[in-house]
Amino acid sequence: MMRDTQLSLLELNQLVKNTLDDAFSNLVWVKAEISEMTVNRTGHCYLELVDVDPATKAVLARARATIWSYSFRMLRPYFETTTGQAFSQGIKVLVSVKVEYHPVYGFSLNIRDIDPSYTMGDMARKRREIIQQLQEDGVFDMNRELELPLVPQRIAVVSSPTAAGLQDFMDQLANNPQGIHFYTKLFPAVMQGSETADSIIHALEQVFQYEDFFDVVCIMRGGGAQLDLASFDHYELAYHVAQFPIPVITGIGHDKDETVIDLVAHTKMKTPTAVAEFLINGAERFEQLLQDLQVRFADLLAQRLAEEQEFLEEAVASLKQGVRQLVSEEEHRFEISRLHLQNRVPRFLKQKTDRFQKYSQRLSGAGQRLLKDEMYRLHRKAGELQYRSQRLLAARQTKLDECRHVLKIRMTDGFRLQTNKLEAFEVKKRLVDPVRVLQRGYSLAYKNGRIVKSVADLGEGDQLETRLADGKVISKIINK
């Protein structure tokens, strides 16, 4: 274009607008992903649409879009009712748009219609991809392979404190007909909206800190809109549920559809109430099993007692016969032993008496000799002990006298040395005595009661007190 053909920016933008109006005179169907979405107070919806490379996730194209309030009021309910998915950022849509260009605001797309079937297909595709990825990661069946405790009574509940079915779940557990006690601990989580997955994952991480305490984890929503189910088709959330080390029971509150976390959980129930019934029924079945075992044990015990009673009666009868025979034999042996003992005891006593008298005589003589020898040894030891004690006492007395003499000499020398030091100190004290210094012709000048050490401390008109050996003089400084 030649320089003489000049256009203003407005003219250029108007040409672009006219060109686009001619090229896109009809509506165009566009596939895109909603990256940002804002609804203002007047009801207009402002969006940013992007086209993303599936492999690199790089944004290939971007455009602003609007849905005016009169269209948004119809399109949004239609889309959410049909898809069961909230109309929000992060979803892929197929929309009918009018291509527009404004000289001031630039390029934009005005959305007139939307095809929900495209989004539903994309959601189903994403769901299949999540399931396939979980299977490839080897975690899809991990939670279902865990062994459910016979009586799960310590229950971690992941739910919103305001969830519609949570109170019903708690009441049903607390008021079960069998009076079975359940311990429940609520780990709060957001159960709808874009924060659902992160919130539930955070709650599961808190439960994991008490892994050894809880028997099962119940993830429950109860009630809520059907379109909130898409929050549970989330890869990270499903991955955490699948590989969680405690059996997970879900009660999301829907009858028809299964979310991905329902598929990977250990047990899926429709509602929180159904979860409570499942837990109570399991405990009741175990209670019934215990009762059946108790009856069987009582029957077996009665049968065993009857058999043991019969065996015991036969054993007692046999024992009585054996005891009678044994007693008869022992009485016969005892009689024979008594006769033998009766004949041998007098002779045995006489032999022992003679031997005792002989030993007594020997012991008396030996004892007197031994006593005499020990008395002699004792007197000799006493004499030696007295002699050694006297020698040791004399040596100690000599040592003590030497110590006293040395101490006396050292104390005398110490007193003499301290006396000399004291006299020398007295001489020094007299030399530095201020009175003697003054007697030698010196004087001291005071200003305001303090000694003057420098001329710099004095000024004209200051009053001085001069102290001499025989008195003091008051003077005034006239010139410095």
Side-chain angles (χ1 to χ4, degrees):
M1 182 178 293
M2 301 298 293
R3 286 190 177 182
D4 55 355
T5 305
Q6 298 179 354
L7 298 174
S8 67
L9 180 59
L10 174 61
E11 291 172 337
L12 177 61
N13 286 355
Q14 192 63 46
L15 286 175
V16 173
K17 180 181 185 312
N18 295 336
T19 302
L20 289 177
D21 289 343
D22 293 338
F24 299 99
S25 57
N26 299 321
L27 298 178
V28 180
W29 286 94
V30 177
K31 298 182 294 183
E33 179 180 328
I34 301 176
S35 64
E36 294 181 13
M37 173 179 163
T38 304
V39 180
N40 68 7
R41 59 184 181 82
T42 61
H44 301 314
C45 180
Y46 299 95
L47 308 100
E48 183 176 82
L49 304 179
V50 294
D51 195 357
V52 179
D53 187 333
T56 63
K57 304 301 180 182
V59 177
L60 304 177
R62 189 188 306 271
R64 291 185 298 107
T66 56
I67 309 177
W68 303 124
S69 59
Y70 62 87
S71 298
F72 190 59
R73 285 195 297 269
M74 294 182 294
L75 292 180
R76 184 176 192 174
Y78 167 63
F79 175 85
E80 293 181 347
T81 303
T82 305
T83 63
Q85 162 72 48
F87 188 79
S88 61
Q89 63 189 42
I91 63 172
K92 288 187 176 182
V93 292
L94 177 61
V95 291
S96 176
V97 302
K98 179 69 173 73
V99 179
E100 296 181 347
Y101 186 86
H102 192 278
V104 176
Y105 302 110
F107 178 80
S108 66
L109 303 176
N110 179 239
I111 298 176
R112 304 291 182 83
D113 198 1
I114 189 169
D115 184 0
S117 61
Y118 175 81
T119 304
M120 292 175 64
D122 183 68
M123 291 167 56
R125 177 186 58 79
K126 285 184 177 179
R127 190 169 181 271
R128 288 194 302 270
E129 290 176 352
I130 291 173
I131 294 173
Q132 182 179 357
Q133 185 62 48
L134 292 171
Q135 292 172 339
E136 292 177 357
D137 293 341
V139 300
F140 190 80
D141 298 317
M142 284 181 62
N143 198 260
R144 288 203 299 269
E145 292 173 353
L146 296 177
E147 183 177 358
L148 190 69
L150 288 176
V151 186
Q153 292 180 279
R154 300 172 300 175
I155 304 162
V157 180
V158 178
S159 182
S160 170
T162 59
L166 178 60
Q167 191 58 48
D168 294 338
F169 171 81
M170 296 295 190
D171 292 342
Q172 192 161 353
L173 285 185
N175 303 313
N176 66 87
Q178 300 296 331
I180 301 170
H181 178 71
F182 293 91
Y183 172 81
T184 58
K185 170 66 176 176
L186 177 64
F187 293 85
V190 177
M191 303 304 287
Q192 61 182 9
S194 59
E195 300 178 3
T196 299
D198 291 338
S199 180
I200 295 177
I201 290 173
H202 178 68
L204 288 176
E205 291 174 348
Q206 291 180 313
V207 176
F208 180 72
Q209 297 178 7
Y210 307 95
E211 173 188 357
D212 297 332
F213 179 78
F214 291 107
D215 298 324
V216 294
V217 180
C218 295
I219 301 177
M220 300 182 299
R221 184 178 69 122
Q226 185 75 8
L227 56 86
D228 292 326
L229 294 179
S231 301
F232 298 91
D233 290 334
H234 190 280
Y235 173 76
E236 292 295 333
L237 174 58
Y239 185 87
H240 276 75
V241 171
Q243 55 84 47
F244 204 70
I246 306 173
V248 177
I249 303 175
T250 58
I252 306 300
H254 54 93
D255 296 331
K256 298 179 181 180
D257 299 323
E258 281 186 325
T259 65
V260 176
I261 70 166
D262 286 327
L263 297 176
V264 298
H266 185 281
T267 303
K268 183 211 79 168
M269 306 303 295
K270 293 181 179 179
T271 62
T273 303
V275 175
E277 292 175 354
F278 173 78
L279 296 172
I280 295 171
N281 291 338
E284 289 177 345
R285 286 194 299 271
F286 183 75
E287 189 75 19
Q288 184 62 43
L289 176 62
L290 289 181
Q291 294 176 0
D292 294 343
L293 290 175
Q294 183 178 2
V295 172
R296 288 184 58 192
F297 178 75
D299 293 342
L300 291 173
L301 183 60
Q303 180 182 353
R304 184 62 181 271
L305 287 175
E307 294 175 354
E308 294 297 330
Q309 181 68 27
E310 181 181 355
F311 174 78
L312 184 61
E313 291 175 355
E314 294 176 356
V316 169
S318 176
L319 182 61
K320 286 181 179 179
Q321 180 64 29
V323 168
R324 283 194 294 268
Q325 182 179 353
L326 181 62
V327 169
S328 177
E329 294 175 355
E330 291 300 324
E331 286 179 348
H332 179 68
R333 291 179 183 176
F334 178 75
E335 184 65 22
I336 295 174
S337 298
R338 186 183 67 79
L339 294 174
H340 289 170
L341 184 63
Q342 188 175 1
N343 295 328
R344 294 178 180 178
V345 166
R347 187 169 64 252
F348 176 77
L349 288 177
K350 186 178 183 307
Q351 292 176 354
K352 294 300 180 182
T353 300
D354 295 342
R355 187 176 297 178
F356 175 74
Q357 291 176 353
K358 183 172 59 177
Y359 285 155
S360 296
Q361 294 173 357
R362 292 179 180 178
L363 182 62
S364 177
Q368 292 177 357
R369 290 194 301 272
L370 179 62
L371 181 60
K372 183 178 180 180
D373 293 341
E374 292 300 323
M375 289 296 294
Y376 172 75
R377 292 177 184 174
L378 180 61
H379 286 303
R380 189 175 63 183
K381 292 291 183 181
E384 292 178 357
L385 179 61
Q386 184 177 6
Y387 173 73
R388 291 181 180 179
S389 299
Q390 291 175 352
R391 288 186 59 189
L392 180 61
L393 182 61
R396 295 293 183 185
Q397 185 64 41
T398 302
K399 185 68 174 178
L400 181 59
D401 292 340
E402 293 177 354
C403 290
R404 285 176 178 173
H405 180 69
V406 172
L407 180 61
K408 183 177 180 180
I409 294 174
R410 291 182 179 178
M411 289 180 63
T412 301
D413 294 342
F415 283 137
R416 185 183 300 112
L417 178 62
Q418 295 300 324
T419 301
N420 294 337
K421 289 183 178 180
L422 186 60
E423 292 175 352
F425 179 75
E426 186 67 25
V427 171
K428 291 180 180 180
K429 178 182 176 183
R430 287 197 301 269
L431 291 176
V432 296
D433 187 355
V435 175
R436 290 182 176 273
V437 173
L438 294 176
Q439 289 177 351
R440 292 200 299 268
Y442 294 97
S443 64
L444 296 175
Y446 289 84
K447 174 185 174 183
N448 298 327
R450 295 183 178 181
I451 293 177
V452 177
K453 297 181 180 181
S454 174
V455 177
D457 296 336
L458 300 175
E460 295 182 358
D462 289 346
Q463 182 173 310
L464 289 180
E465 177 182 337
T466 304
R467 294 185 184 181
L468 304 172
D470 55 351
K472 61 182 179 179
V473 176
I474 304 300
S475 59
K476 188 174 184 181
I477 298 175
I478 298 175
N479 188 12
K480 178 181 174 182

